[in-house]
Amino acid sequence: MNRIAFIGLGLIGGSIAKSIRRVHPEDYLYAYDISPVNLEAAVADGTVNEVLSCLDDRLRTCHFIFLCMPVNFMPDYLDQIAPYLSKDCILTDVGSTKTAIHQEICLRHLESSFIGGHPMTGSEKSGYSAATDRLLENAYYVLTPTNHTTSDGLSRMVHLVSDIGALPLEMDYEKHDYTVAGISHLPHIIASALVKLVKDSDSPDQTMKTVAAGGFKDITRIASSSPVMWEHICLANRTNLATLLQEYIGSLEKILGEITVGNGQAIFDLFAESGEYRNSISERGSGPLQKEYSLYCDIIDRAGAIATIATVLSVHQISIKNIGIIHNREYEEGVLKIEFYEQTACIQAADVLQANHYTVYPRK
């Protein structure tokens, strides 16, 4: 049996705690959080065994301590936790940038206890109320050990991450921050900048917003993320982000030049090369937002058509997350878009609808 403490119990901390409770019901879980509501909910649903009103001697009994708060709050908590760290306890965090926390750990000479962590998953929602015991399944969970991390400590952390269904991936913390700057942080800036460009360029009657197609919605979905969180992330990783952003600006200026002079071959090469690389990216690991499971379906324009499809799926006990008519099908086939909570439900729904003579198109 492990004793595990969570300092912060929001979306990620809560989801890890719930996942551990599901796979290791015998473990004893402590939790500390500035929100009494989060703590009350975690005790009420059986996730947490005991609430910590302060950080005290009970931490000495812990095998793992998870720091689940913004990076700028961590120094104060490290100072409070350090006196209670036992030699066998693994101290870890869940932040999306790792350089700052590793530097703070080094300043306090806690390298032998610390293994950085970054679960590469999330949700459009936040807080403990949005936490689930399946959020981390099949998501990469980056581990950034220090130069003083023992092989036994790393092995224990890898096993815990694997037990909750995540995919452990060991990486140097500086490489991690450069990597996520390119595949996570920069895309959020690009998506938000594109949305703002369309907003500022739209006509008074909002024609662009009205006819926005699936392609625009897909690449800008992450622009709906928490502005507070992304302010902290961008500032914490600003050196790597500035480097890659400058390179991206250079690539935009280059393609602007090719379009201006009408260089069709260069434009073709851009789409061909990027398309080939995009198609080579594995779908195994989940991203920072929950994966969308959806399909498109043709229906006859008559009263009750959508209700009929909903009934067909309901009879087969398939739950629908969202359903709606696609008014702009420039980049999609099918009149109706149906979203599901799980991939298995999406696959089953496609089979059921096809068996009932509906034409179904998979999401591209």
Side-chain angles (χ1 to χ4, degrees):
M1 180 189 80
N2 283 317
R3 286 182 175 267
I4 304 173
F6 290 86
I7 315 302
L9 204 64
L11 173 67
I12 299 300
S15 293
I16 295 174
K18 287 186 175 186
S19 299
I20 291 173
R21 174 61 66 219
R22 174 173 56 82
V23 299
H24 294 306
E26 74 283 359
D27 284 357
Y28 197 89
L29 272 57
Y30 296 103
Y32 173 89
D33 195 272
I34 60 173
S35 168
V37 174
N38 287 349
L39 296 173
E40 291 169 5
V43 171
D45 66 20
T47 297
V48 169
N49 298 96
E50 188 173 343
V51 168
L52 298 174
S53 56
C54 62
L55 304 183
D56 55 31
D57 268 339
R58 286 170 289 183
L59 294 180
R60 296 187 192 276
T61 68
C62 290
H63 302 90
F64 297 89
I65 297 177
F66 282 83
L67 299 173
C68 307
M69 78 282 291
V71 174
N72 54 317
F73 294 135
M74 287 187 182
D76 288 341
Y77 283 102
L78 287 176
D79 290 336
Q80 296 178 59
I81 292 168
Y84 305 111
L85 275 177
S86 69
K87 66 176 183 178
D88 295 323
C89 180
I90 294 175
L91 177 65
T92 187
D93 77 316
V94 298
S96 61
T97 59
K98 303 264 66 81
T99 298
I101 181 63
H102 273 267
Q103 290 173 342
E104 296 292 343
I105 289 294
C106 289
L107 286 174
R108 291 161 178 77
H109 307 292
L110 300 175
E111 298 99 310
S112 60
S113 299
F114 185 72
I115 300 176
H118 177 197
M120 299 190 72
T121 187
S123 171
E124 294 91 340
K125 299 178 181 179
S126 60
Y128 183 80
S129 61
T132 75
D133 64 0
R134 302 282 179 176
L135 185 67
L136 288 92
E137 282 194 340
N138 296 313
Y140 286 118
Y141 197 123
V142 179
L143 299 176
T144 58
T146 73
N147 293 331
H148 297 278
T149 298
T150 65
S151 57
D152 176 67
L154 183 58
S155 176
R156 287 167 55 203
M157 192 69 201
V158 166
H159 276 99
L160 182 62
V161 168
S162 299
D163 286 348
I164 61 177
L167 308 173
L169 184 64
E170 184 184 344
M171 193 180 299
D172 172 82
Y173 72 87
E174 291 177 330
K175 180 179 179 181
H176 166 274
D177 282 4
Y178 184 75
T179 298
V180 296
I183 55 90
S184 178
H185 305 168
L186 181 60
H188 276 80
I189 290 179
I190 293 171
S192 296
L194 178 57
V195 170
K196 189 175 186 306
L197 173 66
V198 170
K199 175 181 177 292
D200 294 344
S201 305
D202 208 351
S203 58
D205 61 355
Q206 297 189 316
T207 301
M208 288 185 178
K209 180 180 180 180
T210 301
V211 302
F216 177 80
K217 293 177 181 177
D218 281 347
I219 66 173
T220 60
R221 187 164 64 102
I222 54 178
S224 298
S225 300
S226 165
V228 174
M229 179 181 73
W230 279 100
E231 176 192 354
H232 288 296
I233 289 174
C234 288
L235 292 178
N237 203 19
R238 59 184 179 273
T239 301
N240 289 317
L241 193 49
T243 298
L244 288 168
L245 185 56
Q246 188 61 55
E247 293 180 10
Y248 180 67
I249 292 171
S251 69
L252 289 178
E253 290 174 340
K254 181 179 179 181
I255 193 61
L256 171 61
E258 305 295 2
I259 291 175
T260 300
V261 301
N263 188 343
Q265 185 61 53
I267 297 170
F268 174 88
D269 290 344
L270 169 68
F271 284 101
E273 182 179 345
S274 59
E276 181 180 359
Y277 184 77
R278 172 62 180 84
N279 292 335
S280 72
I281 297 175
S282 170
E283 297 291 341
R284 186 184 184 193
S286 65
L289 296 179
Q290 291 180 327
K291 185 175 178 62
E292 179 181 304
Y293 305 110
S294 59
L295 56 79
Y296 297 92
C297 176
D298 280 337
I299 59 172
I300 299 173
D301 184 11
R302 65 185 180 194
I306 295 179
T308 300
I309 285 183
T311 300
V312 168
L313 297 178
S314 176
V315 167
H316 289 82
Q317 298 184 328
I318 300 174
S319 297
I320 297 174
K321 181 179 181 180
N322 198 9
I323 187 169
I325 298 292
I326 301 297
H327 295 289
N328 184 332
R329 292 189 293 279
E330 184 177 1
Y331 300 105
E332 301 97 355
E333 296 176 286
V335 175
L336 192 70
K337 180 181 180 181
I338 313 174
E339 296 180 39
F340 305 88
Y341 291 97
E342 299 176 344
Q343 184 178 20
T344 52
C346 186
I347 295 172
Q348 184 184 0
D351 292 339
V352 168
L353 292 174
Q354 287 172 334
N356 282 271
H357 309 294
Y358 287 96
T359 300
V360 174
Y361 307 94
R363 184 174 183 268
K364 296 177 181 179

